[in-house]
Amino acid sequence: MRTRRIAAPAAAALCLSLLAGCGGGDDSADGTVTLEFLSLAWQKESVDANKALVKQWNDTHAHVKVKYVQGSWDNVHDQLLTSFEGGEAPDIFHDDASDLTDFANGGYLADLTPYLPASLRKDIPRASWDTTTYQHATYGVPFLQEPRVLIANTKLLKQSGVRVPTAAHPWSWDEFEAASRRLTRDTDHDGTPERYGVAWSMKEPVSQSVNLSLSTGGQIFYKDEDGKNEIRYDAADSAVAQLINRQVNKDRTAPKTGLGMSGSDTLPGFFAGRYAMLPLNFSYRQQVQQQAPKGFDWTVLPMPSDAGGLAQGTAPQTLSVSQDSRHKQAATDFIAFLTQARNQVRLARGDWLLPTSTQALKDPALTTDTYGWRTGADIATALRPSPVLGVRGYAEWKDKVATPAYQEYYNGAFGIDELRSRLATDGNRILDRYQR
């Protein structure tokens, strides 16, 4: 999930300049409706695909036109909040599911339930719809999703002799640890390997620590008997975090320096053979493909699994309609067009992501072995809503409690009992404040 926080005055300025007033759709004298669509596409292929689809819509709809407005992931939360509060929000906007809870609680989002066509409801799986459903209302259409995968050096895998996992036969987490040990090399036995089996990039540790807990049967965020959110941090919830701590501080199969890195920061070491495997978001394949040295052979593997199978949490990208839009049905009709299976394929390939559409995932362009597309398509059915979705107070818990706690724990500053106390005990105090 993406972090989007800027000061309110800056957000207001951006809103005014970027959205030209952030006004919603207008009606012309002849009855033609113009809807504003705020898109966060940023890669050229994705922007081109979005603009082409808007043109296709406009060419085939005489009385409902769509105006494409370019936005940015860097500031969309505050930009939208400013436009909502000013009554000048775009009719249709692109965001991700992690934003929808607060906006829904603020009354800013239209419930799309009465407007969605049955065909779209059927094509996108229930697990994906659950990411945008809050208190029995649907506040967005989930259309692009991104699992975490292992990007591995093919040559080193072959040399090590480890079994290469597939979505049908993934590694267990124990097998992953064993493979990491086989792939690690410390030829002079000085305790500092020349090559590490894996590098965990933990500059932003929270979402991956939470989302991967599903693979071991945990989830960290639960409902108590009264239906309120609560944090637990039992063995299943902490298993992946303990493994990472073990690899960094005990087995030395993962470098401590990786803990302060972003995913992009780990790529030079990966290309140089310093790290054999990288747990990264699916879209990083594009950077690998573009930046890898000539002749560098790499592959995409599923993340390990245990009690939860290949399950992991995701917060998909979404398309929503503003509550203040005067043309909710027309806006939803455009979203339904944009998220048709064939169009989701175009958008997914432009961003190197996965579509949520069941039909789109069968497209030959997404089932090819090239660049690991097939691995992504094969694990897509195992993706589940991130446990943090729908949890009011999550952002505060993440910033004030979880981020520093995970960073210190992974660096070996304290043990699992202290981590459990901080995440659960301190965290529940925060959640309770939002649920009084």
Side-chain angles (χ1 to χ4, degrees), residues 228-231 391-398 400-401 425-436:
K228 292 185 176 181
N229 297 309
E230 70 172 358
I231 298 168
V391 177
R392 298 195 67 198
Y394 164 72
E396 182 178 346
W397 174 82
K398 173 179 177 288
K400 294 183 178 180
V401 174
T425 305
D426 296 349
N428 282 320
R429 293 193 187 100
I430 292 175
L431 298 195
D432 288 345
R433 213 170 58 242
Y434 284 81
Q435 300 179 106
R436 290 173 181 166

Side-chain angles (χ1 to χ4, degrees), residues 41 78 87 160 192 238 285 329 391 416:
D78 294 289
S160 71
T192 303
S238 65
R285 297 169 304 125
Q329 183 64 67
V391 177
I416 190 63

Side-chain angles (χ1 to χ4, degrees), residues 4-276:
R4 304 173 299 278
R5 295 289 182 271
I6 57 174
L14 280 166
C15 179
L16 292 171
S17 62
L18 187 56
L19 291 185
C22 296
D26 296 322
D27 299 345
S28 65
D30 65 0
T32 300
V33 171
T34 299
L35 305 172
E36 281 195 347
F37 166 40
L38 176 66
S39 171
L40 302 180
W42 62 277
Q43 301 197 77
K44 183 181 185 304
E45 296 87 346
S46 182
V47 171
D48 290 348
N50 274 271
K51 288 183 175 179
L53 290 170
V54 169
K55 183 179 186 302
Q56 183 179 337
W57 170 276
N58 288 336
D59 289 346
T60 54
H61 292 76
H63 301 296
V64 179
K65 302 298 183 182
V66 173
K67 177 184 176 182
Y68 181 94
V69 180
Q70 186 63 62
S72 170
W73 285 107
D74 292 339
N75 52 55
V76 67
H77 177 91
D78 294 289
Q79 175 190 324
L80 284 170
L81 184 59
T82 300
S83 65
F84 287 142
E85 292 178 343
E88 298 177 320
D91 298 274
I92 305 151
F93 65 90
H94 182 182
D95 202 353
D96 73 40
S98 61
D99 250 357
L100 302 190
T101 300
D102 286 344
F103 288 155
N105 272 287
Y108 301 129
L109 307 184
D111 176 7
L112 303 184
T113 304
Y115 309 111
L116 290 167
S119 57
L120 182 61
R121 276 285 191 189
K122 183 178 179 180
D123 187 34
I124 295 176
R126 174 63 183 272
S128 294
W129 285 115
D130 285 346
T131 65
T132 60
T133 300
Y134 182 66
Q135 294 184 343
H136 309 293
T138 301
Y139 292 110
V141 175
F143 73 111
L144 294 177
Q145 55 191 342
E146 182 169 27
R148 207 158 182 83
V149 293
L150 290 171
I151 297 180
N153 183 316
T154 303
K155 179 181 177 181
L156 297 180
L157 281 180
K158 290 179 179 178
Q159 288 177 350
S160 71
V162 300
R163 180 181 71 84
V164 178
T166 64
H169 300 287
W171 280 332
S172 68
W173 282 104
D174 285 344
E175 287 181 287
F176 169 73
E177 282 195 271
S180 298
R181 287 191 290 269
R182 292 272 295 272
L183 288 160
T184 298
R185 288 288 178 270
D186 181 10
T187 54
D188 58 8
H189 305 289
D190 66 351
T192 303
E194 294 78 41
R195 183 179 76 222
Y196 293 91
V198 60
W200 289 95
S201 49
M202 285 288 173
K203 187 174 183 178
E204 295 184 4
V206 179
S207 62
Q208 57 182 307
S209 300
V210 173
N211 290 333
L212 290 178
S213 72
L214 271 65
S215 70
T216 56
Q219 64 184 67
I220 301 176
F221 288 85
Y222 297 85
K223 297 286 187 183
D224 66 15
E225 58 185 15
D226 296 322
K228 292 185 176 181
N229 297 309
E230 70 172 358
I231 298 168
R232 304 175 203 158
Y233 209 62
D234 299 325
D237 306 294
S238 65
V240 174
Q242 289 181 273
L243 179 147
I244 296 169
N245 179 286
R246 198 160 52 240
Q247 289 194 311
V248 171
N249 297 297
K250 180 182 176 183
D251 296 341
R252 303 295 174 87
T253 56
K256 185 168 286 191
T257 53
L259 300 177
M261 293 183 181
S262 66
S264 297
D265 294 335
T266 61
L267 293 183
F270 178 63
F271 298 143
R274 184 158 174 76
Y275 319 129

